[in-house]
């Protein structure tokens, strides 16, 4: 698999790959034994990106979300109100529909 193609949809990863490639080329002398002298680091994901929705929403929040949707709130309103993604809203509603 071509690495550039695999990374092409993620600009942040593509930049890291390009930097790492440049560092490797600059630090190798034609042998397979080399050291990377510059570290390549990307910004850590935001705390919200790492946390599960269940870590950010209490069971009461989830019940309030489901109730608000049942009372006519749109998914866009729920996204803004609860600060979660559209896919998270849809997943919560789908799970509640199955459980209920």
């Amino acid at each position: 698999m071509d690495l550039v193609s695999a990374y092409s949809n993620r600009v942040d990863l593509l930049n890291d790959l390009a930097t790492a490639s440049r560092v490797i080329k600059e630090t190798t002398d034609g042998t397979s034994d080399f050291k990377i002298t510059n570290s390549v680091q990307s910004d850590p994901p935001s705390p919200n990106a790492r946390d599960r929705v269940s870590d950010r929403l209490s069971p009461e929040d989830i019940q309030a979300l489901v109730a608000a949707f049942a009372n006519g709130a749109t998914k866009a309103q729920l996204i803004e109100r609860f600060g979660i993604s559209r896919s998270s809203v849809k997943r919560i509603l789908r799970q509640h529909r199955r459980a209920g």
Side-chain angles (χ1 to χ4, degrees):
M1 172 189 262
D2 180 25
L3 283 178
V4 174
S5 297
Y7 283 85
S8 64
N9 291 330
R10 295 277 314 270
V11 174
D12 58 325
L13 297 177
L14 181 59
N15 291 336
D16 289 348
L17 177 63
T19 302
S21 177
R22 181 181 46 76
V23 168
I24 290 169
K25 285 178 186 176
E26 291 173 358
T27 57
T28 59
D29 61 358
T31 66
S32 60
D33 212 13
F34 65 90
K35 294 179 183 177
I36 296 179
T37 57
N38 299 328
S39 64
V40 178
Q41 296 178 353
S42 61
D43 293 333
S46 67
N48 289 344
R50 288 192 309 255
D51 295 343
R52 295 180 180 191
V53 172
S54 60
D55 293 338
R56 289 181 278 146
L57 296 181
S58 68
E60 294 79 18
D61 289 334
I62 292 173
Q63 290 302 317
L65 184 150
V66 172
F69 185 74
N71 290 326
T74 66
K75 290 177 185 167
Q77 291 168 330
L78 298 174
I79 290 165
E80 186 173 331
R81 177 176 168 190
F82 292 95
I84 59 177
S85 69
R86 178 174 294 277
S87 62
S88 294
V89 168
K90 290 167 63 174
R91 185 174 45 253
I92 290 168
L93 294 172
R94 191 171 42 248
Q95 287 171 344
H96 182 75
R97 187 171 40 236
R98 283 188 204 145

Coordinates of all heavy atoms in Angstrom, one line a residue:
M1 N 0.8 -1.2 0.0 CA 0.0 0.0 0.0 C 0.9 1.2 0.0 O 1.9 1.3 0.7 CB -0.9 0.0 1.2 CG -1.7 1.3 1.4 SD -2.6 1.4 2.9 CE -4.1 0.9 2.4
D2 N 0.5 2.2 -0.8 CA 1.3 3.4 -0.9 C 0.9 4.3 0.4 O -0.2 4.6 0.6 CB 0.8 4.2 -2.1 CG 1.5 5.5 -2.3 OD1 2.6 5.6 -1.8 OD2 1.0 6.3 -3.0
L3 N 2.0 4.6 1.1 CA 1.7 5.3 2.4 C 1.1 6.7 2.2 O 0.3 7.1 2.9 CB 3.1 5.5 3.2 CG 3.5 4.3 3.9 CD1 4.9 4.5 4.6 CD2 2.5 3.8 4.9
V4 N 1.6 7.4 1.1 CA 1.0 8.7 0.9 C -0.5 8.6 0.6 O -1.3 9.4 1.1 CB 1.7 9.4 -0.3 CG1 1.1 10.7 -0.7 CG2 3.2 9.6 0.1
S5 N -0.9 7.6 -0.1 CA -2.4 7.4 -0.3 C -3.1 7.2 0.9 O -4.2 7.7 1.2 CB -2.6 6.3 -1.3 OG -2.1 6.6 -2.6
A6 N -2.5 6.4 1.8 CA -3.2 6.0 3.1 C -3.3 7.3 4.0 O -4.2 7.4 4.7 CB -2.4 5.0 3.8
Y7 N -2.4 8.2 3.9 CA -2.4 9.4 4.7 C -3.0 10.6 4.0 O -3.2 11.6 4.6 CB -0.9 9.8 5.1 CG -0.4 8.9 6.2 CD1 0.2 7.7 5.9 CD2 -0.5 9.3 7.5 CE1 0.7 6.9 7.0 CE2 0.1 8.5 8.6 CZ 0.7 7.3 8.3 OH 1.2 6.6 9.3
S8 N -3.3 10.5 2.8 CA -3.7 11.7 2.0 C -5.0 12.4 2.5 O -5.2 13.5 2.3 CB -3.9 11.3 0.5 OG -4.9 10.4 0.3
N9 N -5.9 11.7 3.2 CA -7.1 12.3 3.7 C -6.9 12.9 5.0 O -7.8 13.5 5.6 CB -8.2 11.2 3.7 CG -8.7 10.9 2.3 OD1 -8.6 11.6 1.4 ND2 -9.1 9.6 2.2
R10 N -5.8 12.7 5.6 CA -5.5 13.3 7.0 C -4.3 14.2 6.8 O -3.1 13.8 6.9 CB -5.2 12.2 8.0 CG -6.3 11.2 8.3 CD -7.3 11.8 9.3 NE -6.7 12.4 10.5 CZ -6.4 11.7 11.6 NH1 -6.7 10.4 11.7 NH2 -5.9 12.3 12.6
V11 N -4.5 15.5 6.6 CA -3.5 16.4 6.4 C -2.5 16.4 7.6 O -1.3 16.5 7.4 CB -4.0 17.9 6.2 CG1 -2.9 18.9 6.1 CG2 -4.9 17.9 4.9
D12 N -3.0 16.3 8.8 CA -2.1 16.3 10.0 C -1.2 15.1 9.9 O 0.0 15.3 10.2 CB -2.9 16.3 11.3 CG -3.9 15.2 11.4 OD1 -4.5 14.7 10.4 OD2 -4.1 14.7 12.5
L13 N -1.6 14.0 9.5 CA -0.8 12.8 9.4 C 0.1 12.9 8.2 O 1.3 12.4 8.3 CB -1.6 11.5 9.4 CG -2.5 11.2 10.6 CD1 -3.3 10.0 10.4 CD2 -1.6 11.1 11.8
L14 N -0.4 13.5 7.1 CA 0.4 13.6 5.9 C 1.6 14.5 6.2 O 2.8 14.2 5.8 CB -0.4 14.2 4.8 CG 0.3 14.3 3.4 CD1 0.9 13.0 3.0 CD2 -0.6 14.9 2.4
N15 N 1.4 15.6 6.9 CA 2.5 16.5 7.3 C 3.6 15.8 8.1 O 4.8 15.9 7.9 CB 2.0 17.7 8.0 CG 1.2 18.6 7.1 OD1 1.4 18.6 5.9 ND2 0.4 19.4 7.6
D16 N 3.1 15.0 9.1 CA 4.0 14.2 10.0 C 4.8 13.2 9.1 O 6.0 13.0 9.4 CB 3.3 13.5 11.1 CG 2.7 14.4 12.1 OD1 3.1 15.6 12.2 OD2 1.9 14.0 13.0
L17 N 4.1 12.5 8.2 CA 4.8 11.6 7.3 C 5.9 12.2 6.5 O 7.0 11.7 6.4 CB 3.8 10.8 6.5 CG 4.3 9.8 5.5 CD1 5.0 8.7 6.2 CD2 3.3 9.3 4.6
A18 N 5.5 13.4 5.9 CA 6.5 14.1 5.1 C 7.7 14.5 5.9 O 8.9 14.4 5.5 CB 5.8 15.3 4.4
T19 N 7.5 15.0 7.1 CA 8.6 15.4 8.0 C 9.4 14.2 8.4 O 10.7 14.3 8.4 CB 8.0 16.1 9.3 OG1 7.2 17.2 8.9 CG2 9.1 16.6 10.2
A20 N 8.8 13.1 8.8 CA 9.5 11.9 9.2 C 10.4 11.4 8.0 O 11.5 11.0 8.1 CB 8.6 10.9 9.7
S21 N 9.8 11.4 6.8 CA 10.5 11.0 5.6 C 11.7 11.9 5.4 O 12.8 11.4 5.1 CB 9.6 11.0 4.4 OG 10.3 10.7 3.2
R22 N 11.6 13.2 5.5 CA 12.7 14.1 5.3 C 13.8 13.9 6.4 O 15.0 13.8 6.0 CB 12.2 15.6 5.4 CG 13.3 16.6 5.1 CD 12.8 18.0 5.2 NE 11.9 18.3 6.4 CZ 12.3 18.4 7.7 NH1 13.6 18.3 7.9 NH2 11.5 18.7 8.6
V23 N 13.4 13.7 7.6 CA 14.3 13.5 8.7 C 15.1 12.2 8.4 O 16.3 12.1 8.6 CB 13.6 13.4 10.1 CG1 14.5 12.9 11.2 CG2 13.1 14.8 10.4
I24 N 14.4 11.1 8.0 CA 15.1 9.9 7.7 C 16.1 10.0 6.6 O 17.2 9.5 6.7 CB 14.1 8.8 7.4 CG1 13.3 8.4 8.7 CG2 14.7 7.5 6.8 CD1 12.1 7.5 8.5
K25 N 15.7 10.7 5.5 CA 16.6 10.9 4.4 C 17.8 11.7 4.9 O 19.0 11.4 4.4 CB 15.9 11.6 3.3 CG 15.0 10.7 2.5 CD 14.2 11.5 1.4 CE 13.2 10.7 0.8 NZ 12.4 11.4 -0.2
E26 N 17.6 12.7 5.7 CA 18.7 13.5 6.1 C 19.7 12.8 7.1 O 20.9 13.2 7.2 CB 18.2 14.8 6.8 CG 17.5 15.8 5.9 CD 16.9 16.9 6.6 OE1 16.9 17.0 7.8 OE2 16.3 17.8 5.9
T27 N 19.2 11.9 7.9 CA 20.0 11.2 8.9 C 20.6 9.9 8.5 O 21.4 9.3 9.2 CB 19.2 11.0 10.2 OG1 18.0 10.3 9.9 CG2 18.8 12.4 10.8
T28 N 20.2 9.4 7.3 CA 20.8 8.1 6.9 C 22.0 8.3 6.1 O 22.1 9.3 5.3 CB 19.8 7.2 6.1 OG1 19.3 8.0 5.0 CG2 18.6 6.9 7.0
D29 N 22.9 7.4 6.1 CA 24.1 7.5 5.3 C 24.2 6.3 4.3 O 25.3 6.0 3.9 CB 25.4 7.5 6.2 CG 25.5 6.2 7.0 OD1 24.6 5.4 7.0 OD2 26.5 6.1 7.8
G30 N 23.1 5.7 4.0 CA 23.0 4.7 3.0 C 23.0 3.3 3.7 O 22.9 2.3 3.0
T31 N 23.2 3.2 5.0 CA 23.1 1.9 5.7 C 21.8 1.8 6.3 O 21.0 2.7 6.4 CB 24.2 1.8 6.7 OG1 23.9 2.8 7.8 CG2 25.6 2.1 6.2
S32 N 21.5 0.6 6.8 CA 20.2 0.4 7.4 C 20.3 0.8 8.9 O 19.2 0.8 9.6 CB 19.9 -1.1 7.3 OG 20.8 -1.9 8.0
D33 N 21.4 1.2 9.4 CA 21.6 1.6 10.8 C 21.5 3.1 10.9 O 22.4 3.8 10.4 CB 22.9 1.1 11.3 CG 22.8 0.7 12.8 OD1 21.7 0.7 13.3 OD2 23.9 0.5 13.4
F34 N 20.5 3.7 11.4 CA 20.4 5.1 11.5 C 19.7 5.6 12.8 O 19.0 4.8 13.4 CB 19.7 5.7 10.3 CG 18.3 5.4 10.1 CD1 17.3 6.1 10.7 CD2 17.9 4.2 9.4 CE1 16.0 5.8 10.5 CE2 16.6 3.9 9.3 CZ 15.6 4.7 9.8
K35 N 19.9 6.8 13.1 CA 19.2 7.4 14.3 C 18.4 8.6 13.8 O 18.9 9.4 13.0 CB 20.1 7.8 15.3 CG 20.9 6.7 16.0 CD 21.8 7.2 17.0 CE 22.6 6.1 17.6 NZ 23.6 6.6 18.6
I36 N 17.2 8.8 14.3 CA 16.5 10.0 14.0 C 16.8 11.0 15.1 O 16.6 10.8 16.2 CB 15.0 9.7 13.9 CG1 14.7 8.8 12.8 CG2 14.2 11.0 13.8 CD1 13.2 8.4 12.6
T37 N 17.4 12.1 14.7 CA 17.8 13.1 15.6 C 16.8 14.1 16.0 O 16.8 14.7 17.0 CB 19.1 13.8 15.1 OG1 18.8 14.4 13.9 CG2 20.3 12.9 15.0
N38 N 15.8 14.3 15.1 CA 14.7 15.2 15.3 C 13.5 14.4 15.6 O 13.2 13.5 14.9 CB 14.4 16.1 14.1 CG 15.6 17.0 13.7 OD1 16.4 17.4 14.6 ND2 15.8 17.2 12.4
S39 N 12.8 14.8 16.7 CA 11.5 14.1 16.9 C 10.4 14.7 16.2 O 10.4 15.9 15.9 CB 11.2 14.1 18.4 OG 11.0 15.4 18.8
V40 N 9.5 13.9 15.7 CA 8.3 14.3 15.0 C 7.2 14.1 15.9 O 6.8 12.9 16.2 CB 8.2 13.5 13.6 CG1 6.9 13.9 12.9 CG2 9.4 13.7 12.8
Q41 N 6.5 15.2 16.3 CA 5.4 15.0 17.1 C 4.2 15.8 16.6 O 4.4 16.9 16.0 CB 5.7 15.6 18.5 CG 6.8 14.8 19.2 CD 7.1 15.4 20.6 OE1 6.6 16.5 20.9 NE2 7.9 14.7 21.4
S42 N 3.0 15.2 16.7 CA 1.8 16.0 16.3 C 1.2 16.4 17.6 O 1.4 15.9 18.7 CB 0.9 15.1 15.5 OG 0.5 14.0 16.2
D43 N 0.3 17.4 17.4 CA -0.5 17.8 18.6 C -1.4 16.7 19.1 O -1.9 16.0 18.3 CB -1.4 19.0 18.2 CG -0.6 20.2 17.9 OD1 0.6 20.4 18.4 OD2 -1.1 21.1 17.1
P44 N -1.5 16.6 20.4 CA -2.3 15.5 21.0 C -3.8 15.9 20.7 O -4.1 17.0 20.5 CB -2.1 15.6 22.5 CG -1.6 16.9 22.7 CD -0.8 17.3 21.5
P45 N -4.6 14.8 20.5 CA -6.0 15.1 20.3 C -6.6 15.9 21.4 O -6.1 15.8 22.6 CB -6.7 13.8 20.1 CG -5.7 12.8 20.6 CD -4.3 13.4 20.7
S46 N -7.6 16.7 21.2 CA -8.3 17.4 22.2 C -8.9 16.4 23.2 O -9.2 15.3 22.9 CB -9.4 18.3 21.6 OG -10.4 17.5 21.1
P47 N -9.0 16.8 24.5 CA -9.6 15.9 25.5 C -10.9 15.4 25.1 O -11.2 14.2 25.3 CB -9.7 16.8 26.7 CG -8.7 17.9 26.5 CD -8.6 18.1 25.1
N48 N -11.8 16.2 24.4 CA -13.1 15.7 24.0 C -13.0 14.6 23.0 O -13.8 13.7 22.9 CB -14.0 16.8 23.5 CG -14.4 17.7 24.7 OD1 -14.3 17.3 25.8 ND2 -14.9 18.9 24.3
A49 N -12.0 14.6 22.1 CA -11.8 13.6 21.1 C -11.4 12.3 21.7 O -11.7 11.2 21.1 CB -10.8 14.0 20.1
R50 N -10.8 12.3 22.8 CA -10.4 11.0 23.5 C -11.4 10.4 24.3 O -11.5 9.2 24.5 CB -9.1 11.2 24.3 CG -7.9 11.5 23.5 CD -6.6 11.4 24.4 NE -6.8 12.2 25.6 CZ -6.2 13.4 25.8 NH1 -5.4 13.9 24.9 NH2 -6.3 14.1 26.9
D51 N -12.3 11.2 24.9 CA -13.3 10.7 25.9 C -14.4 10.1 25.2 O -14.9 10.6 24.1 CB -13.8 11.9 26.7 CG -12.7 12.5 27.6 OD1 -11.7 11.9 27.8 OD2 -12.9 13.6 28.1
R52 N -15.0 9.1 25.8 CA -16.2 8.5 25.3 C -17.3 9.4 25.6 O -17.3 10.1 26.6 CB -16.4 7.1 25.9 CG -15.3 6.1 25.5 CD -15.6 4.8 26.2 NE -14.6 3.9 25.9 CZ -14.7 2.6 26.1 NH1 -15.7 2.1 26.8 NH2 -13.7 1.8 25.7
V53 N -18.4 9.3 24.8 CA -19.6 10.0 25.1 C -20.1 9.7 26.5 O -20.5 10.6 27.3 CB -20.7 9.8 24.1 CG1 -22.0 10.4 24.5 CG2 -20.2 10.3 22.7
S54 N -20.0 8.4 26.9 CA -20.5 8.0 28.2 C -19.6 8.6 29.4 O -20.1 8.7 30.5 CB -20.4 6.5 28.4 OG -19.1 6.0 28.2
D55 N -18.4 9.1 29.0 CA -17.6 9.8 30.0 C -18.0 11.3 30.1 O -17.7 11.9 31.1 CB -16.1 9.7 29.7 CG -15.5 8.3 29.7 OD1 -16.1 7.5 30.4 OD2 -14.5 8.0 29.1
R56 N -18.6 11.8 29.1 CA -19.0 13.2 29.1 C -20.4 13.4 29.4 O -20.8 14.5 29.9 CB -18.7 13.8 27.7 CG -17.2 13.9 27.5 CD -16.9 14.6 26.1 NE -17.0 13.5 25.1 CZ -17.4 13.7 23.9 NH1 -17.8 14.9 23.5 NH2 -17.4 12.7 23.0
L57 N -21.3 12.4 29.2 CA -22.7 12.6 29.5 C -23.1 11.6 30.6 O -22.8 10.4 30.5 CB -23.5 12.3 28.2 CG -23.4 13.2 27.0 CD1 -24.3 12.8 25.9 CD2 -23.7 14.7 27.4
S58 N -23.8 12.1 31.5 CA -24.3 11.3 32.6 C -25.5 10.5 32.1 O -26.1 10.9 31.0 CB -24.7 12.1 33.8 OG -25.9 12.9 33.5
P59 N -26.0 9.5 32.8 CA -27.2 8.8 32.4 C -28.4 9.7 32.3 O -29.3 9.6 31.5 CB -27.4 7.7 33.5 CG -26.0 7.4 34.0 CD -25.3 8.8 33.9
E60 N -28.4 10.7 33.2 CA -29.5 11.7 33.2 C -29.4 12.6 32.0 O -30.5 12.9 31.4 CB -29.4 12.6 34.5 CG -29.7 11.9 35.8 CD -28.4 11.1 36.3 OE1 -27.3 11.3 35.9 OE2 -28.7 10.2 37.1
D61 N -28.2 12.9 31.5 CA -28.0 13.7 30.3 C -28.5 12.9 29.1 O -29.2 13.4 28.2 CB -26.6 14.1 30.0 CG -26.0 15.1 31.0 OD1 -26.8 15.9 31.5 OD2 -24.8 15.1 31.2
I62 N -28.2 11.6 29.1 CA -28.7 10.8 28.0 C -30.2 10.7 27.9 O -30.8 10.8 26.9 CB -28.0 9.4 28.0 CG1 -26.5 9.5 27.8 CG2 -28.7 8.4 27.1 CD1 -25.7 8.3 27.9
Q63 N -30.8 10.5 29.1 CA -32.3 10.5 29.2 C -32.9 11.8 28.8 O -33.9 11.8 28.1 CB -32.7 10.1 30.6 CG -32.4 8.7 31.0 CD -33.1 7.7 30.1 OE1 -34.2 7.9 29.7 NE2 -32.4 6.7 29.7
A64 N -32.2 12.9 29.1 CA -32.7 14.2 28.7 C -32.6 14.4 27.2 O -33.5 15.0 26.6 CB -31.9 15.3 29.4
L65 N -31.5 13.9 26.6 CA -31.3 13.9 25.2 C -32.4 13.2 24.5 O -33.1 13.7 23.5 CB -30.0 13.4 24.8 CG -29.5 13.4 23.3 CD1 -28.0 13.6 23.2 CD2 -30.0 12.2 22.6
V66 N -32.7 12.0 24.9 CA -33.7 11.1 24.3 C -35.1 11.8 24.5 O -35.9 11.8 23.5 CB -33.7 9.7 24.9 CG1 -34.9 8.9 24.5 CG2 -32.4 9.0 24.6
A67 N -35.4 12.3 25.6 CA -36.7 13.0 25.9 C -36.8 14.2 25.0 O -37.9 14.4 24.5 CB -36.8 13.3 27.4
A68 N -35.7 15.0 24.9 CA -35.8 16.2 24.1 C -36.1 15.8 22.6 O -36.9 16.5 21.9 CB -34.5 17.0 24.2
F69 N -35.5 14.8 22.1 CA -35.7 14.3 20.7 C -37.2 13.8 20.6 O -37.8 14.2 19.6 CB -34.7 13.2 20.3 CG -34.9 12.8 18.9 CD1 -34.4 13.6 17.9 CD2 -35.5 11.6 18.6 CE1 -34.5 13.2 16.6 CE2 -35.6 11.2 17.2 CZ -35.1 12.0 16.2
A70 N -37.7 13.1 21.6 CA -39.0 12.6 21.5 C -40.0 13.8 21.5 O -41.1 13.7 21.0 CB -39.3 11.7 22.7
N71 N -39.6 14.9 22.2 CA -40.5 16.1 22.2 C -40.3 17.1 21.1 O -40.8 18.2 21.1 CB -40.3 16.8 23.6 CG -40.8 16.0 24.7 OD1 -41.8 15.3 24.6 ND2 -40.1 16.1 25.9
G72 N -39.5 16.6 20.1 CA -39.4 17.4 18.9 C -38.1 18.2 18.6 O -38.0 18.9 17.6
A73 N -37.2 18.1 19.5 CA -35.9 18.7 19.3 C -35.2 18.1 18.1 O -35.3 16.9 17.9 CB -35.0 18.6 20.5
T74 N -34.5 18.9 17.3 CA -33.8 18.3 16.1 C -32.4 17.8 16.6 O -31.9 18.2 17.6 CB -33.6 19.4 15.1 OG1 -32.7 20.4 15.6 CG2 -34.9 20.1 14.6
K75 N -31.8 17.0 15.7 CA -30.5 16.5 16.0 C -29.5 17.6 16.1 O -28.6 17.6 17.0 CB -30.1 15.5 15.0 CG -30.9 14.2 15.1 CD -30.5 13.2 14.0 CE -31.4 12.0 14.1 NZ -31.3 11.1 13.0
A76 N -29.6 18.6 15.3 CA -28.7 19.8 15.3 C -28.8 20.5 16.7 O -27.8 20.9 17.2 CB -29.1 20.8 14.2
Q77 N -30.0 20.6 17.2 CA -30.2 21.3 18.5 C -29.6 20.4 19.6 O -29.0 21.0 20.5 CB -31.7 21.5 18.8 CG -32.4 22.5 17.9 CD -33.9 22.5 18.0 OE1 -34.5 21.5 18.3 NE2 -34.5 23.7 17.8
L78 N -29.7 19.1 19.5 CA -29.1 18.2 20.5 C -27.6 18.3 20.5 O -26.9 18.2 21.5 CB -29.6 16.8 20.3 CG -31.1 16.6 20.5 CD1 -31.5 15.2 20.1 CD2 -31.6 17.0 21.9
I79 N -27.1 18.4 19.2 CA -25.6 18.5 19.1 C -25.1 19.7 19.8 O -24.1 19.6 20.5 CB -25.2 18.5 17.6 CG1 -25.5 17.2 16.9 CG2 -23.8 19.0 17.4 CD1 -25.5 17.2 15.4
E80 N -25.8 20.8 19.6 CA -25.3 22.1 20.2 C -25.5 22.0 21.7 O -24.7 22.4 22.5 CB -26.1 23.2 19.6 CG -25.6 24.6 20.1 CD -26.3 25.7 19.4 OE1 -26.7 25.6 18.2 OE2 -26.5 26.8 20.0
R81 N -26.7 21.5 22.1 CA -27.0 21.5 23.6 C -26.1 20.6 24.4 O -25.6 21.0 25.5 CB -28.4 21.1 23.8 CG -28.9 21.0 25.2 CD -30.3 20.6 25.3 NE -30.7 20.2 26.7 CZ -31.8 19.7 27.1 NH1 -32.8 19.5 26.2 NH2 -32.0 19.4 28.3
F82 N -25.8 19.4 23.9 CA -25.0 18.5 24.6 C -23.5 18.4 24.2 O -22.7 17.8 24.9 CB -25.6 17.1 24.5 CG -26.9 17.0 25.2 CD1 -28.1 17.1 24.5 CD2 -27.0 16.7 26.5 CE1 -29.3 17.1 25.1 CE2 -28.2 16.7 27.2 CZ -29.4 16.8 26.5
G83 N -23.1 19.2 23.2 CA -21.7 19.2 22.8 C -21.1 17.9 22.3 O -20.0 17.7 22.6
I84 N -21.9 17.2 21.6 CA -21.4 15.9 21.0 C -21.7 15.9 19.5 O -22.4 16.7 19.0 CB -22.1 14.7 21.7 CG1 -23.6 14.7 21.6 CG2 -21.7 14.6 23.2 CD1 -24.3 13.5 22.1
S85 N -21.1 14.9 18.9 CA -21.2 14.8 17.4 C -22.5 14.3 16.9 O -23.2 13.7 17.7 CB -20.1 14.0 16.8 OG -20.3 12.6 17.2
R86 N -22.8 14.5 15.7 CA -24.0 14.0 15.1 C -24.1 12.5 15.2 O -25.1 11.9 15.5 CB -24.1 14.4 13.6 CG -25.4 13.8 12.9 CD -25.5 14.4 11.5 NE -25.8 15.8 11.5 CZ -27.0 16.4 11.7 NH1 -28.0 15.6 11.9 NH2 -27.2 17.7 11.7
S87 N -22.9 11.8 14.9 CA -22.9 10.4 15.0 C -23.2 9.9 16.4 O -23.8 8.8 16.6 CB -21.6 9.8 14.5 OG -20.5 10.2 15.3
S88 N -22.7 10.6 17.4 CA -23.0 10.2 18.8 C -24.5 10.4 19.2 O -25.0 9.5 19.8 CB -22.1 11.1 19.8 OG -20.8 10.8 19.6
V89 N -25.1 11.5 18.7 CA -26.5 11.7 18.9 C -27.3 10.5 18.3 O -28.1 9.9 18.9 CB -27.0 13.0 18.4 CG1 -28.5 13.1 18.3 CG2 -26.4 14.2 19.2
K90 N -26.9 10.2 17.0 CA -27.6 9.1 16.3 C -27.5 7.8 17.0 O -28.4 7.0 17.2 CB -27.2 9.1 14.9 CG -27.6 10.2 14.1 CD -26.9 10.4 12.7 CE -27.2 9.3 11.8 NZ -26.6 9.5 10.5
R91 N -26.2 7.5 17.5 CA -26.0 6.3 18.2 C -26.8 6.2 19.5 O -27.4 5.1 19.8 CB -24.5 6.1 18.5 CG -24.1 4.8 19.1 CD -22.6 4.6 19.2 NE -21.9 5.7 19.8 CZ -21.1 6.6 19.0 NH1 -20.9 6.4 17.8 NH2 -20.5 7.6 19.6
I92 N -26.8 7.2 20.3 CA -27.6 7.2 21.5 C -29.1 7.0 21.2 O -29.7 6.2 21.9 CB -27.4 8.6 22.3 CG1 -26.0 8.6 22.9 CG2 -28.4 8.7 23.4 CD1 -25.6 10.0 23.4
L93 N -29.6 7.7 20.2 CA -31.0 7.5 19.9 C -31.3 6.1 19.4 O -32.3 5.5 19.8 CB -31.4 8.5 18.9 CG -31.4 10.0 19.3 CD1 -31.7 10.9 18.2 CD2 -32.4 10.2 20.5
R94 N -30.4 5.6 18.6 CA -30.6 4.2 18.1 C -30.5 3.2 19.3 O -31.3 2.2 19.3 CB -29.5 3.9 17.1 CG -29.7 2.6 16.3 CD -28.7 2.5 15.1 NE -27.3 2.9 15.5 CZ -26.7 3.9 14.9 NH1 -27.3 4.7 14.1 NH2 -25.4 4.2 15.3
Q95 N -29.6 3.4 20.2 CA -29.4 2.4 21.3 C -30.7 2.5 22.2 O -31.2 1.5 22.7 CB -28.2 2.8 22.1 CG -26.9 2.4 21.4 CD -25.7 2.9 22.1 OE1 -25.8 3.8 23.0 NE2 -24.5 2.4 21.8
H96 N -31.2 3.7 22.4 CA -32.4 3.9 23.2 C -33.6 3.2 22.6 O -34.4 2.6 23.2 CB -32.7 5.3 23.5 CG -33.8 5.5 24.4 ND1 -33.8 5.2 25.8 CD2 -35.1 5.9 24.2 CE1 -35.0 5.4 26.3 NE2 -35.8 5.8 25.3
R97 N -33.7 3.4 21.3 CA -34.8 2.8 20.5 C -34.8 1.3 20.7 O -35.8 0.6 20.8 CB -34.8 3.2 19.1 CG -36.0 2.8 18.3 CD -36.0 3.4 16.9 NE -34.7 3.4 16.2 CZ -34.1 4.5 15.7 NH1 -34.7 5.6 15.8 NH2 -33.0 4.4 15.1
R98 N -33.6 0.7 20.6 CA -33.5 -0.8 20.8 C -33.8 -1.2 22.2 O -34.4 -2.3 22.4 CB -32.0 -1.2 20.5 CG -31.7 -1.3 19.0 CD -30.4 -1.9 18.8 NE -29.8 -1.4 17.5 CZ -28.6 -1.2 17.3 NH1 -27.7 -1.4 18.2 NH2 -28.2 -0.8 16.1
A99 N -33.4 -0.4 23.1 CA -33.6 -0.8 24.6 C -35.0 -0.6 25.0 O -35.5 -1.2 25.9 CB -32.6 0.0 25.5
G100 N -35.7 0.4 24.4 CA -37.0 0.8 24.8 C -38.0 0.0 24.1 O -38.8 -0.8 24.3

